[in-house]
Amino acid sequence: MRLHEYQSKDIFSNYQIPIPRGRLASTPEEAKLITEEINGPVVLKAQVLVGGRGKAGGIRLVKSPDEAEDVASKILGERIKDIPVRRLLIEEAVSIQQEIYFGMTVDREKGETLLIASAEGGVDIEEIARLSPEKIFRVNINPLLGLRDFQARNLATDIEIPRELWRSFIALSRSLYNVYTDLDATLAEINPLVITTGKRLVALDGKIIIDDNALFRHPELLDRRDITIESPQESEARKFCLSYIKLDGNIGCLVNGAGLAMATMDIIQHKGGQPANFLDIGGGASSEKVAAALRIMLTDKQVKTILINIFGGITRCDEVALGIQQTLADFDTNIPFVIRLVGTNEAEGKQILADSNLITADSLEEAAEKAVSLSQELSA
Ligand code: GDP
Ligand code: MN
């Protein structure tokens, strides 16, 4: 789950990470009022969960309360990268000397936390990472030892933070690391972290992504989930506790178990096809859950073929078959279903589907081949 900038900054503030003074506005009048309170130039920042708001026109510097009202009335209701802007964060403008990139994320290969910093942060960080990778510095943190001061100090030296700011940088690193670990984040990023002309470190932007699997430990954050940015498919998946990730291809995969889902996606690719999603119905899924999963795929226009790969254990094939039968009754679709159904109650499951117009396969390989060739025919 990705937090909004204002949510990330609320958290930063609780951890003593300096942020600019500011508040949220959802109307032009509020924007004007907050600008009056701040009593100086402000930055209006669209709270949409997309990267690169600055370049897309979502960050605007204004000088007066009237101008704030005027600009706010334009941005509110506009779309940035197709997401409607409903709220603006109004912050005192900060006078910037330098923009630094500072973030932490998961190093999956090492099973550690990775701190990343660059002296040249800001809106072009991707470009810098690509063209001048030597300007990006990394430090691995052993999760059992945690972040130690010397590691933050080394990073400060790498990115040439002035000596007088080392102490604040180390404190800020420690705070961000605590945010990252306390919240079970997979990303905690400040870009830009600025050195102001007054020689202070301030987090000008904030991005936190929480591991969805740890959300049950953070009910207070779950309440603040912004469901307005979810696609109908994502909402449906969340409602039925399905693990669903949309991908770019055209073969919908309905599978039980994450490992089997991986194997299914691999074999689809191996046979020359592209999966449209990762959809794991989990163990012991009910027919309602199966039907919801199929609904998600049938409402995705990119899906040309559905591959159902069930290895029945706790999951019963007859229950899955009932879900499929129900879906076929509800939807008038010409999307072909390729089914491989083996394991618990396989015979009962196959019996239920005997009269349906489905393509069956005995092995995963055969199923993948059929699904790939159908998807190619239908996309041609
Ligand atoms: P993003 O484009 O979504 O990452 O939005 P950011 O919050 O990072 O803002 C983008 C850029 O706008 C920053 O890199 C700054 O250059 C600029 N910016 C944001 N806030 C201020 C501010 O208070 N003062 C000044 N001078 N520039 C700002
Ligand atoms: Mn940014």
Side-chain angles (χ1 to χ4, degrees):
M1 177 174 102
R2 196 173 150 180
L3 302 188
H4 278 289
E5 178 191 9
Y6 75 90
Q7 297 171 320
S8 302
K9 282 179 166 168
D10 273 355
I11 294 164
F12 287 171
S13 177
N14 292 336
Y15 281 77
Q16 278 76 50
I17 295 174
I19 55 166
R21 210 152 43 94
R23 267 193 314 121
L24 267 190
S26 33
T27 63
E29 296 72 41
E30 276 173 352
K32 181 177 179 177
L33 210 76
I34 297 167
T35 309
E36 277 165 2
E37 278 170 26
I38 290 175
N39 193 21
V42 298
V43 179
L44 309 190
K45 311 188 76 180
Q47 298 302 291
V48 284
L49 291 173
V50 296
R53 293 167 306 165
K55 288 188 171 173
I59 311 285
R60 303 284 291 275
L61 179 73
V62 305
K63 298 220 159 54
S64 69
D66 286 335
E67 195 187 350
E69 185 176 21
D70 186 43
V71 173
S73 72
K74 286 186 190 120
I75 312 182
L76 283 166
E78 237 176 47
R79 283 171 178 266
I80 296 206
K81 298 193 177 173
D82 221 32
I83 313 266
V85 181
R86 299 216 163 78
R87 283 163 305 195
L88 297 171
L89 179 60
I90 318 283
E91 283 185 340
E92 62 175 330
V94 170
S95 136
I96 302 173
Q97 184 190 318
Q98 187 188 344
E99 301 195 20
I100 293 166
Y101 176 93
F102 188 39
M104 32 196 87
T105 186
V106 185
D107 182 337
R108 289 179 197 276
E109 255 162 54
K110 294 207 172 113
E112 293 182 338
T113 299
L114 185 65
L115 259 57
I116 304 169
S118 173
E120 296 181 30
V123 295
D124 291 321
I125 189 69
E126 280 87 7
E127 199 80 329
I128 288 167
R130 204 163 53 82
L131 299 175
S132 322
E134 75 285 352
K135 290 183 179 162
I136 312 269
F137 294 89
R138 295 178 171 80
V139 176
N140 270 89
I141 309 296
N142 181 314
L144 298 177
L145 301 174
L147 172 68
R148 282 157 298 159
D149 285 359
F150 79 87
Q151 294 172 307
R153 196 154 45 234
N154 285 350
L155 213 48
T157 323
D158 289 337
I159 62 171
E160 297 176 25
I161 288 184
R163 186 80 171 81
E164 76 232 53
L165 285 175
W166 279 13
R167 192 193 287 271
S168 344
F169 182 76
I170 291 165
L172 183 142
S173 304
R174 222 185 283 138
S175 295
L176 192 65
Y177 185 74
N178 290 338
V179 169
Y180 178 84
T181 49
D182 290 355
L183 268 64
D184 296 305
T186 55
L187 178 80
E189 180 187 88
I190 305 177
N191 184 36
L193 169 66
V194 302
I195 302 179
T196 65
T197 48
K199 299 282 180 295
R200 277 174 12 109
L201 282 174
V202 177
L204 221 54
D205 191 7
K207 178 170 168 185
I208 298 175
I209 300 178
I210 315 277
D211 183 346
D212 282 341
N213 294 312
L215 274 176
F216 72 96
R217 295 208 286 215
H218 307 282
E220 74 291 352
L221 292 174
L222 207 52
D223 292 343
R224 299 208 273 167
R225 182 192 280 268
D226 184 351
I227 54 170
T228 60
I229 56 149
E230 284 182 348
S231 66
Q233 284 88 3
E234 284 170 331
S235 315
E236 187 85 344
R238 195 161 46 77
K239 210 158 63 199
F240 286 89
C241 297
L242 296 158
S243 308
Y244 169 72
I245 294 164
K246 176 155 170 59
L247 303 168
D248 293 332
N250 56 11
I251 302 176
C253 312
L254 186 151
V255 183
N256 64 317
L260 194 59
M262 295 285 200
T264 307
M265 297 199 307
D266 280 354
I267 197 158
I268 286 175
Q269 303 236 15
H270 183 65
K271 297 288 176 191
Q274 290 296 332
N277 63 274
F278 171 106
L279 203 162
D280 170 14
I281 59 171
S286 63
S287 60
E288 288 80 21
K289 201 164 172 176
V290 172
L294 288 169
R295 213 157 43 234
I296 287 171
M297 291 199 264
L298 287 170
T299 52
D300 176 351
K301 289 193 174 52
Q302 246 168 288
V303 172
K304 299 288 180 225
T305 305
I306 292 176
L307 170 54
I308 300 171
N309 183 23
I310 298 297
F311 193 81
I314 307 169
T315 304
R316 288 167 31 202
C317 292
D318 53 336
E319 198 64 29
V320 173
L322 285 172
I324 298 171
Q325 193 186 42
Q326 186 58 49
T327 307
L328 293 171
D330 291 346
F331 277 85
D332 181 23
T333 177
N334 41 25
I335 300 279
F337 286 39
V338 180
I339 301 188
R340 180 213 179 204
L341 205 55
V342 294
T344 311
N345 292 4
E346 175 180 336
E348 291 84 341
K350 286 182 169 159
Q351 185 61 43
I352 292 166
L353 296 174
D355 298 328
S356 308
N357 187 19
L358 302 165
I359 299 146
T360 57
D362 292 325
S363 71
L364 174 53
E365 185 163 15
E366 186 193 341
E369 275 166 11
K370 286 182 171 169
V372 170
S373 81
L374 280 164
S375 72
Q376 286 166 349
E377 272 169 45
L378 292 165
S379 306

